[in-house]
């Protein structure tokens, strides 16, 4: 029997719809319209509670500390929940889990494209309202997690809508062992250990849709059952 353990399977469509409604601005480069109560699980099993958000420049994890926005290093973080959403640490980025099976999981990467609106001097230029200075945590906290107008939470949320909206791109990946693979036929079929003819027959017989998380767990299970190269997750 296939090992199908979907994350909130009844709510998958709603979860994807919410993700598609993400609307960051230059002043508010985040996944959520506010910092949200959540729990972070570390590799050793420790749980930390707080109010979190995901910076959409590089998938960095931000949290509130006495009214100040800070970054939490993703090293040592296994997973977390923010509201009803589940995230996994994949290559240092916190990515939203759409579905999972014992063999791996399906994630969505959501990134905002700030390239077109950053001015020549590296700041956000005229697109930002009510600012004295822009800065990055690379300069202030020792780790790069994208630009913020200010790290003062009250000041930032007060001006979050006083700036241009930022275009968002979304990509779906399957994660098997230590590998993150873009979820499309041409990428997966070229993986070492995948029999192209047999895999194509599997896709056809199961009518696999590459944007359907439930179908993608079938792909994960197929790869785990047939490809010899896949590493097991630590």
């Amino acid at each position: 029997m296939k090992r199908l353990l979907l994350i909130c399977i009844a709510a998958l469509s709603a979860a994807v719809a919410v993700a598609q409604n993400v609307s960051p601005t230059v002043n508010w480069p985040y996944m959520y319209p506010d910092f949200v109560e959540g729990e972070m699980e570390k590799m050793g099993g420790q749980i930390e509670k707080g109010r979190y958000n995901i910076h959409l420049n590089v998938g960095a994890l931000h949290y509130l500390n006495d009214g100040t926005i800070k970054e939490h290093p993703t090293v040592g973080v296994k997973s977390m929940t923010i509201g009803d959403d589940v995230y996994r640490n994949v290559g240092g980025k916190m990515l939203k889990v759409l579905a999972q099976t014992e063999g791996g999981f399906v994630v969505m990467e959501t990134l905002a494209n700030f390239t077109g609106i950053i001015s020549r001097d590296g700041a956000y230029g005229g697109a930002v309202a009510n600012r004295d200075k822009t800065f990055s945590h690379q300069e202030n906290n020792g780790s790069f997690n994208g630009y913020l107008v200010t790290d003062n939470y009250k000041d930032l949320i007060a001006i979050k809508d006083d700036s241009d909206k930022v275009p968002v791109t979304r990509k779906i990946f399957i994660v098997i062992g230590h590998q993150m693979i873009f979820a499309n036929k041409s990428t997966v079929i070229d993986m070492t250990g995948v029999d192209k003819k047999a895999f194509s027959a599997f896709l056809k017989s199961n009518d696999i849709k590459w944007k359907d998380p439930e179908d993608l767990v079938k792909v994960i299970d197929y790869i785990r059952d047939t490809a010899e190269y896949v590493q097991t997750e630590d």
Side-chain angles (χ1 to χ4, degrees):
M1 186 175 82
K2 290 297 183 182
R3 304 174 299 276
L4 190 60
L5 303 173
L6 294 182
I7 295 293
C8 300
I9 184 170
L12 276 176
S13 296
V16 173
V18 170
Q20 291 175 343
N21 290 330
V22 173
S23 185
T25 67
V26 174
N27 288 355
W28 189 263
Y30 287 113
M31 176 75 76
Y32 301 98
D34 201 344
F35 279 72
V36 182
E37 295 290 339
E39 293 186 354
M40 175 175 57
E41 180 184 2
K42 295 190 173 182
M43 294 298 183
Q46 305 96 322
I47 302 294
E48 292 186 9
K49 296 183 178 181
R51 291 180 63 188
Y52 299 100
N53 215 326
I54 305 295
H55 193 295
L56 294 178
N57 188 20
V58 289
L61 173 59
H62 286 195
Y63 68 100
L64 292 183
N65 182 19
D66 293 330
T68 300
I69 298 172
K70 294 189 175 183
E71 178 195 6
H72 193 293
T74 55
V75 175
V77 176
K78 180 179 181 181
S79 63
M80 67 180 310
T81 59
I82 300 179
D84 295 327
D85 296 329
V86 177
Y87 288 80
R88 292 290 296 263
N89 181 359
V90 184
K93 296 180 180 181
M94 301 308 298
L95 302 183
K96 182 182 287 187
V97 178
L98 302 182
Q100 70 179 26
T101 174
E102 290 180 12
F105 44 96
V106 182
V107 295
M108 175 180 286
E109 179 184 57
T110 303
L111 293 176
N113 181 12
F114 294 97
T115 304
I117 55 177
I118 296 177
S119 64
R120 294 177 183 174
D121 61 3
Y124 282 135
V128 177
N130 302 323
R131 71 174 175 88
D132 296 320
K133 179 184 178 183
T134 59
F135 67 94
S136 78
H137 282 213
Q138 185 178 34
E139 299 167 353
N140 290 270
N141 294 341
S143 58
F144 180 78
N145 63 356
Y147 289 90
L148 291 176
V149 180
T150 174
D151 61 359
N152 183 287
Y153 166 71
K154 288 185 177 180
D155 290 347
L156 190 65
I157 201 165
I159 62 169
K160 70 175 187 176
D161 296 322
D162 297 339
S163 59
D164 294 341
K165 290 185 178 181
V166 181
V168 171
T169 59
R170 302 172 186 84
K171 295 180 180 179
I172 296 177
F173 297 85
I174 59 175
V175 180
I176 306 174
H178 300 295
Q179 303 187 64
M180 176 175 164
I181 306 111
F182 184 54
N184 68 8
K185 179 179 178 180
S186 61
T187 301
V188 176
I189 204 169
D190 284 337
M191 294 170 63
T192 303
V194 174
D195 183 295
K196 291 180 171 58
K197 184 177 180 179
F199 184 61
S200 295
F202 161 78
L203 297 179
K204 184 176 180 179
S205 63
N206 287 272
D207 191 25
I208 295 298
K209 296 178 176 59
W210 288 96
K211 293 185 178 181
D212 185 334
E214 187 173 356
D215 279 358
L216 292 178
V217 295
K218 297 178 184 178
V219 173
I220 291 171
D221 283 331
Y222 176 87
I223 297 298
R224 294 286 304 198
D225 291 343
T226 60
E228 298 178 355
Y229 76 98
V230 179
Q231 300 176 358
T232 57
E233 185 179 12
D234 291 337

